[in-house]
Amino acid sequence: MPTATVNGIKLAYSDEGTGLPLVFLHGFPLNRDMWIPQIRGLGDRARIISVDLRGHGESDAPLWQYTMEQFADDVAGLLDHLDLLQVVLVGLSMGGYVALTFSTNHSHRLKALVLTDTRAQADTENGRENRFQMAQTAYRKGPSAIRDIMVPKLLCPKTLQSNRAVVEQVEAMILRMELSGLAGDLMAMAGRLDSVPRLPSIRCPTLVIVGEQDQPTPISDARLMADRIPGARLEIIPNAGHLPNLEQPELFNDALWRFHSSLV
Ligand code: MLT
């Protein structure tokens, strides 16, 4: 497993294939293993880099405040480490919040942007209160309680009923989370800025993807981004919830590949 020392911590990442790099940012409370179907499906056609954000997977999980800005700076530091000037950045859900922050703070490094199952709006007051409650649950009961809350939200009913392998993969990623990472993510998400006013100033080619049955970030959130980012395309993946890359990997990879091919 390659690692990079970035902003004083160790970040774990995978780097396979050649060509215009696609850099994948996972959601909460997951890790880079969620991109295995993309490495398998696209790794012979593109360079695929996936990173464990701080607090996740095999990266360090320091006990301190996390922010979207810091996650975005970590991604920029990884690109420096890899000597990459520009990449296609793919962010799912929390990874999308990081990608939107990156598109403001490091816009010159974006060849293109893929925002999947995410939203541009900040948390509502109620949403922030829920983050606080979830952090208390994690503190008192550990990651298994977070698994019980999150799995039914992340996957659509069909996946839950008939795709045991995906359910188990998602559960394993959640159970691996450390408390510092869980609380750090929740604080970062609660404190993130509203990206809606910045959407019209995104200048790079952008693809928005959403699972048809996504609960946490439904189609209306995806449409809002696609409508406001100049020239953005929208792809809706049928029979998928919040994790279409795992639930319908072939459809997801096809959508991503069509976009990627249009860039080179
Ligand atoms: C995620 O999948 O990253 C989370 O559902 C995002 C969120 O809770 O806002």
Side-chain angles (χ1 to χ4, degrees), residues 69-86:
E69 289 72 20
Q70 185 178 52
F71 281 133
D73 290 348
D74 288 347
V75 175
L78 177 65
L79 301 193
D80 291 342
H81 173 83
L82 295 171
D83 259 333
L84 291 172
L85 234 53
Q86 277 206 323

Side-chain angles (χ1 to χ4, degrees), residues 58-182:
E58 295 173 289
S59 289
D60 284 345
L63 178 64
W64 201 243
Q65 187 181 11
Y66 292 21
T67 63
M68 288 304 149
E69 289 72 20
Q70 185 178 52
F71 281 133
D73 290 348
D74 288 347
V75 175
L78 177 65
L79 301 193
D80 291 342
H81 173 83
L82 295 171
D83 259 333
L84 291 172
L85 234 53
Q86 277 206 323
V87 300
V88 181
L89 193 60
V90 184
L92 182 140
S93 201
M94 187 183 82
Y97 307 154
V98 179
L100 281 166
T101 308
F102 191 95
S103 78
T104 301
N105 295 356
H106 304 279
S107 59
H108 60 290
R109 307 197 73 159
L110 279 183
K111 171 85 178 162
L113 186 59
V114 180
L115 298 167
T116 177
D117 300 271
T118 190
R119 68 156 60 89
Q121 307 92 303
D123 276 4
T124 60
E125 191 111 334
N126 188 38
R128 275 192 280 273
E129 173 60 23
N130 290 339
R131 305 283 190 204
F132 174 79
Q133 293 304 340
M134 194 182 286
Q136 307 319 303
T137 301
Y139 182 54
R140 284 199 307 271
K141 300 184 179 164
S144 63
I146 303 305
R147 171 200 58 194
D148 296 345
I149 297 169
M150 289 303 295
V151 170
K153 292 188 182 168
L154 295 173
L155 302 170
C156 76
K158 186 167 179 223
T159 308
L160 287 168
Q161 280 150 24
S162 59
N163 199 337
R164 198 62 220 150
V166 165
V167 175
E168 282 173 10
Q169 189 192 350
V170 171
E171 288 182 343
M173 285 188 274
I174 299 175
L175 291 175
R176 184 175 183 152
M177 286 294 297
E178 290 183 40
L179 186 56
S180 51
L182 284 168

